[in-house]
């Protein structure tokens, strides 16, 4: 590189606040990973922290937000119990559109908006479950909730989701 530093700009992550104060032991307002993990699973914490704001933004800790993230992951579990249907043209369109939108958002480091896309796609799959669509959801979800994605992937496949290729959309199938 023809620059002195290995990065072109400094990126600072935002700060997590609770009850109006920066989370810290001195304020006695911390929520430990162990607490969250024991009650909801650590993937819930990951989804919550990635979904509330862009990485550089400050966020306010919300127990309701954690509950919402937990419900989202539970919805994905419930879809795995559905009778999978043969995909329609609309299903294929939604799958490819989701891949396209998520790919662009991930490239732009807009993880919170990526999770919103995954939530919308999970809502769609609830009423229109297809194996192909569900597998796409799990591949995309594995970036944010790896434990959940690995376990659910294994219900349908002998391989690991982490070894799968990232989904690529087909523009011709987006109508």
């Amino acid at each position: 590189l023809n620059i002195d530093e290995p990065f072109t700009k400094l990126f600072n992550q935002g700060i997590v606040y609770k009850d109006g104060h920066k989370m810290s032991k001195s304020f006695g307002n911390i929520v430990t990973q162990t607490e969250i993990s024991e009650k909801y699973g650590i993937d819930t914490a990951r989804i919550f922290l990635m979904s509330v704001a862009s990485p550089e933004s400050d966020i306010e800790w919300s127990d309701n937000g954690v509950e919402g993230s937990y419900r989202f992951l539970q919805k994905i579990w419930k879809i795995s119990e559905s009778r999978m249907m043969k995909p329609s043209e609309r299903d294929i369109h939604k799958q490819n559109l989701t891949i396209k939108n998520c790919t662009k958002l991930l490239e732009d480091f807009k993880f919170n908006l990526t999770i919103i896309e995954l939530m919308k796609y999970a809502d769609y799959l609830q009423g229109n479950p297809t194996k192909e669509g569900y597998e796409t959801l799990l591949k995309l979800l594995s970036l944010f909730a790896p434990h959940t994605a690995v376990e659910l992937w294994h219900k349908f496949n002998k391989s690991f989701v982490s070894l799968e290729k990232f989904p690529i959309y087909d523009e011709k199938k987006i109508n």
Side-chain angles (χ1 to χ4, degrees):
L1 299 173
N2 293 330
I3 56 174
D4 293 336
E5 295 289 333
F7 304 100
T8 57
K9 69 178 185 175
L10 176 64
F11 177 82
N12 289 316
Q13 291 182 327
I15 298 171
V16 179
Y17 291 89
K18 185 173 182 196
D19 303 325
H21 297 286
K22 181 178 170 181
M23 255 200 208
S24 73
K25 288 179 184 176
S26 63
F27 285 118
N29 66 350
I30 60 169
V31 178
T32 68
Q33 291 179 5
T34 305
E35 289 175 68
I36 297 297
S37 181
E38 287 174 356
K39 189 169 182 180
Y40 302 105
I42 203 64
D43 281 350
T44 297
R46 285 188 181 104
I47 292 290
F48 170 70
L49 290 170
M50 299 298 276
S51 67
V52 290
S54 57
E56 69 277 5
S57 299
D58 295 342
I59 63 168
E60 178 72 26
W61 182 265
S62 162
D63 292 333
N64 289 336
V66 173
E67 288 280 344
S69 296
Y70 180 73
R71 284 192 306 273
F72 167 59
L73 291 175
Q74 291 305 302
K75 180 184 298 184
I76 293 172
W77 275 96
K78 286 181 183 155
I79 296 169
S80 77
E81 299 163 1
S82 302
R83 189 173 79 69
M84 298 295 167
M85 304 182 312
K86 181 181 175 190
S88 68
E89 282 186 37
R90 183 172 183 237
D91 297 331
I92 294 167
H93 158 79
K94 289 280 193 186
Q95 178 184 357
N96 280 278
L97 184 60
T98 299
I99 296 167
K100 179 181 180 178
N101 292 344
C102 288
T103 300
K104 175 68 174 132
L105 291 167
L106 287 166
E107 288 171 352
D108 292 340
F109 296 96
K110 295 184 177 181
F111 305 129
N112 57 325
L113 300 179
T114 306
I115 292 173
I116 291 169
E117 283 292 318
L118 295 177
M119 289 177 170
K120 290 193 295 190
Y121 192 50
D123 287 343
Y124 177 79
L125 286 176
Q126 247 186 329
N128 307 279
T130 65
K131 185 174 188 278
E132 298 84 354
Y134 190 65
E135 287 179 342
T136 294
L137 176 65
L138 293 178
K139 287 177 186 178
L140 295 168
L141 180 70
S142 70
L143 302 172
F144 303 100
H147 299 103
T148 303
V150 164
E151 195 163 337
L152 289 170
W153 183 266
H154 198 66
K155 285 179 78 169
F156 296 95
N157 302 281
K158 298 294 179 208
S159 64
F160 292 97
V161 70
S162 59
L163 299 176
E164 295 296 315
K165 292 186 188 234
F166 190 83
I168 298 172
Y169 65 93
D170 184 345
E171 189 71 49
K172 295 175 191 160
K173 294 181 179 178
I174 299 173
N175 183 3

